[in-house]
């Protein structure tokens, strides 16, 4: 009974959100605003895919550093053999990921 009510409530809320968030295709709202003048260039300029990939890799390694930080404290709390195995596997996964990115040419800035 409660699962049915939960599903019904979820479907009702999803339908309500779809009705409320209807987007209009108004051309004036899609154009960039530049102090009332026509824009000099397109506001939808493409960006460098290499820069995007380097930024994503930076974020990934930043998160990995945050994951590595507690391992120092865990070394004191756990068996040294378990800690060494876990840390070695984590570092090995990082090295394999870096090798994969290097092999696919993601880290090459100039083509």
């Amino acid at each position: 009974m409660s699962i049915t009510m939960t599903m019904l409530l979820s479907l009702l809320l999803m339908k309500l959100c779809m009705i409320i968030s209807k987007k209009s295709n108004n051309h004036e709202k899609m154009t960039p605003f530049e102090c009332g003048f026509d824009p000099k260039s397109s506001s939808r300029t493409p960006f460098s895919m290499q820069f995007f990939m380097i930024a994503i890799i930076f974020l990934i390694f930043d998160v990995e550093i945050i994951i590595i930080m507690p391992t120092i404290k865990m070394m004191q709390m756990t068996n040294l053999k378990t800690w060494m195995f876990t840390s070695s596997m984590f570092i090995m996964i990082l090295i394999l990921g870096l090798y994969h990115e290097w092999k696919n040419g993601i880290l090459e800035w100039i083509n």
Side-chain angles (χ1 to χ4, degrees), residues 15-101:
K15 188 67 174 173
L16 184 64
C17 286
M18 285 175 53
I19 292 170
I20 290 173
S21 68
K22 289 278 183 179
K23 302 255 182 198
S24 65
N25 290 333
N26 189 352
H27 180 68
E28 290 296 322
K29 289 184 179 181
M30 296 300 290
T31 58
F33 181 71
E34 201 171 296
C35 299
F37 299 105
D38 290 332
K40 294 181 180 180
S41 64
S42 175
S43 66
R44 308 273 189 244
T45 57
F47 60 94
S48 170
M49 195 56 147
Q50 258 86 19
F51 178 76
F52 177 72
M53 291 306 294
I54 295 293
I56 294 297
I57 291 169
F58 173 76
L59 287 174
I60 290 170
F61 278 103
D62 200 35
V63 169
E64 290 166 353
I65 289 172
I66 291 172
I67 292 171
I68 288 174
M69 292 296 279
T71 59
I72 298 167
K73 186 69 175 168
M74 290 302 294
M75 186 172 132
Q76 299 169 351
M77 302 172 118
T78 62
N79 184 353
L80 186 61
K81 191 182 275 188
T82 306
W83 178 83
M84 188 65 89
F85 176 73
T86 306
S87 298
S88 299
M89 290 303 292
F90 186 72
I91 298 295
M92 186 59 75
I93 290 170
L94 292 180
I95 291 171
L96 286 173
L98 184 62
Y99 175 72
H100 177 71
E101 291 165 354

